[in-house]
Amino acid sequence: MSSAKAKNPKLVTTHQLQAMKEAGEKIAMLTAYDYSTAKILDQSGIDILLVGDSASNVMAGHETTLPITLDQMIYHASSVVKAVKRALIVVDIPFGYYQGDCMTALKSSIRIMKESGAHAVKMEGGVEIKDAVKRIVSAGIPVMGHLGLTPQSIYQFGTYTVRAKEKEEATKLISDAKALASYGCFSIVLEKIPAKLAEKVSKEIPIPTIGIGAGSATDGQVLVTQDMLGITQDFNPRFLRRYANLSQVIKDSVKEYIKDIKEKSFPNEKESY
Ligand code: KIV
């Protein structure tokens, strides 16, 4: 165990994440949307659990992250909070609940913190969300930023391809990352950008970067749990490493269950009262 972890093995804090960056210890983050899964991930030693608005895709079956509501995010987050003993829990503020004005953003964050018991919020965008980030941070709520491919802007991008390949967008991303750090963000997700750019940002800003499709030089990595466990089957981007094929495990188990019922071998005497 590293010295950063040894100091506080029970609960991961934003300060501990900062210490991990400074010590060169990589940060591991996964998404979680429900109690049972969050418990397993937390018991496995994950540092950060993100109640991502990807719940809109993964849990609700929507095509984008745009439809999910604040109430739905709070429902997912409060289920995760009940399961977790160690990980830092970060919750996405969903589309439409922070872009308008900084008081709306503050109220959304306060609802997330009060009603779910989570530890931090995450927001997509750079300098354009300056007032909202500063207002939330000044209320004592830790904020994680999110730059690069920000899925709440998918209709502006028009495609899920790699962002910031051109100089102009890369330059804006670097200045946005520096700005978010100066507003008080404790960390920034960098999604689907060139590895070299992510490396430069990670070196130039003082707070931890968490990459997804951003190469190996970020201070940490995040994947959607259902993707890395092979529960989702139709999403195969280059950055995704699958650690299991749970969809096959589930199908095989369910087929066996159905067979046992049809053959009248389940339940047996020992499984009956
Ligand atoms: O909503 C989400 O799951 C995310 C991660 C992909 C970073 O924002």
Side-chain angles (χ1 to χ4, degrees):
M1 194 188 285
S2 79
S3 59
K5 271 189 184 152
K7 276 181 200 150
N8 188 357
K10 284 238 169 84
L11 192 71
V12 178
T13 64
T14 58
H15 303 281
Q16 206 174 332
L17 298 173
Q18 184 64 39
M20 287 165 81
K21 175 175 176 118
E22 283 158 23
E25 182 186 347
K26 297 280 185 180
I27 298 163
M29 172 162 132
L30 281 171
T31 59
Y33 319 110
D34 70 281
Y35 174 84
S36 315
T37 312
K39 195 167 204 166
I40 297 168
L41 302 178
D42 190 53
Q43 287 172 349
S44 308
I46 200 77
D47 298 311
I48 308 176
L49 282 176
L50 171 66
V51 184
D53 58 0
S54 51
S56 180
N57 312 98
V58 179
M59 293 285 106
H62 293 300
E63 252 183 53
T64 72
T65 58
L66 275 67
I68 200 160
T69 66
L70 187 60
D71 283 339
Q72 288 166 338
M73 288 303 295
I74 290 170
Y75 165 78
H76 286 297
S78 59
S79 310
V80 169
V81 165
K82 288 188 203 99
V84 168
K85 292 204 163 70
R86 179 184 172 276
L88 184 88
I89 303 166
V90 182
V91 182
D92 263 326
I93 312 181
F95 176 68
Y97 295 90
Y98 64 95
Q99 290 91 347
D101 61 87
C102 66
M103 281 316 288
T104 306
L106 178 65
K107 281 182 191 159
S108 304
S109 308
I110 289 176
R111 277 202 62 201
I112 288 171
M113 302 297 282
K114 259 189 189 294
E115 295 176 37
S116 76
H119 310 135
V121 298
K122 176 164 87 58
M123 299 158 77
E124 298 181 5
V127 286
E128 48 290 327
I129 57 165
K130 171 184 177 180
D131 293 342
V133 174
K134 284 185 137 186
R135 193 70 197 83
I136 296 167
V137 170
S138 73
I141 300 170
V143 176
M144 177 180 269
H146 186 158
L147 296 171
L149 178 64
T150 45
Q152 291 179 10
S153 303
I154 189 57
Y155 290 118
Q156 200 167 58
F157 296 149
T159 138
Y160 284 99
T161 54
V162 180
R163 301 305 310 177
K165 285 206 284 199
E166 305 306 327
K167 195 164 179 225
E168 197 183 332
E169 197 178 329
T171 305
K172 175 167 166 33
L173 190 141
I174 295 167
S175 66
D176 277 342
K178 288 180 179 168
L180 288 174
S182 77
Y183 307 154
C185 282
F186 73 90
S187 173
I188 302 175
V189 167
L190 298 176
E191 179 163 354
K192 232 174 168 185
I193 62 170
K196 282 231 161 71
L197 176 61
E199 181 174 5
K200 186 171 164 60
V201 172
S202 305
K203 279 189 181 143
E204 290 189 9
I205 65 169
I207 56 173
T209 56
I210 310 287
I212 172 163
S216 61
T218 50
D219 302 302
Q221 296 290 331
V222 57
L223 286 174
V224 168
T225 298
Q226 281 73 5
D227 295 340
M228 62 85 83
L229 292 180
I231 293 174
T232 48
Q233 294 167 282
D234 42 9
F235 181 63
N236 291 298
R238 172 178 170 155
F239 67 76
L240 175 60
R241 186 179 293 181
R242 289 200 195 279
Y243 288 83
N245 186 357
L246 286 197
S247 66
Q248 199 53 53
V249 172
I250 293 169
K251 279 180 196 164
D252 291 346
S253 309
V254 172
K255 278 182 190 160
E256 211 176 311
Y257 170 70
I258 294 168
K259 185 168 151 281
D260 287 352
I261 293 173
K262 303 285 179 191
E263 286 175 352
K264 301 178 184 164
S265 68
F266 175 79
N268 62 24
E269 234 174 82
K270 277 190 191 157
E271 289 157 340
S272 306
Y273 298 98

